[in-house]
Amino acid sequence: MVFARVGRSPDPNPDTMALPQPKQSATPQAYRPAEPRWYAMRVFNNRILRTKEELESSGARTYMAVKTLRETVNGRLVTRQIQLAPSLLFVRWTLDKLLDYKREHYSDLMIYRRAESDLPAPINDREMEMFILVTSS
């Protein structure tokens, strides 16, 4: 018995073959890692220092990119810190705790999210370590 192919045969070259797209789960729990991850948030209304202190007192690790300036004012050496990215705060925490904090402080901040879902976008640990190294003063 002979079988005939109908239509065009698939291209055997793996470079030109389309890869199947992963299906997203109906439950967001599938995307909630239990381990702490880095996330970026924008804090509104000059509440960044208060938010940073609250997060740290709750057990989260935070990072705010600042530049330390030393200048002479009226004959005295003055040191001050300037935010490199105003209102931008990075937090390393579990996703569940971060979302709980967001619900409690809804109007104070915005968490950067993935384009394809409503979940916050985690930042790769290695990339965040490099960012901290480059922006630390």
Side-chain angles (χ1 to χ4, degrees), residues 32-132:
R32 294 188 179 192
E35 74 278 355
R37 304 281 306 267
W38 282 105
Y39 299 95
M41 62 174 58
R42 181 152 311 270
V43 183
F44 304 121
N45 302 325
N46 294 324
R47 295 184 174 137
I48 193 160
L49 293 177
R50 186 189 78 191
T51 301
K52 183 178 185 325
E53 290 171 2
E54 286 178 359
L55 288 167
E56 288 174 350
S57 68
S58 298
R61 181 177 168 199
T62 63
Y63 179 73
M64 183 173 56
V66 295
K67 180 179 182 178
T68 302
L69 294 179
R70 291 178 178 84
E71 54 191 4
T72 305
V73 177
N74 296 329
R76 292 182 19 197
L77 184 63
V78 176
T79 302
R80 61 186 176 121
Q81 291 184 332
I82 298 176
Q83 294 178 12
L84 295 177
S87 303
L88 185 62
L89 181 66
F90 296 92
V91 60
R92 182 173 171 79
W93 221 5
T94 62
L95 182 56
D96 288 335
K97 289 181 181 179
L98 183 68
L99 293 175
D100 289 343
Y101 186 84
K102 171 63 177 159
R103 277 189 284 277
E104 294 171 11
H105 301 85
Y106 182 75
S107 63
D108 295 344
L109 56 97
M110 176 197 75
I111 302 171
Y112 288 94
R113 299 181 173 273
R114 299 173 191 253
E116 68 274 2
S117 76
D118 264 354
L119 292 175
I123 300 169
N124 180 289
D125 285 345
R126 180 73 178 137
E127 290 175 6
M128 191 64 199
E129 289 171 12
M130 296 304 295
F131 179 76
I132 291 171

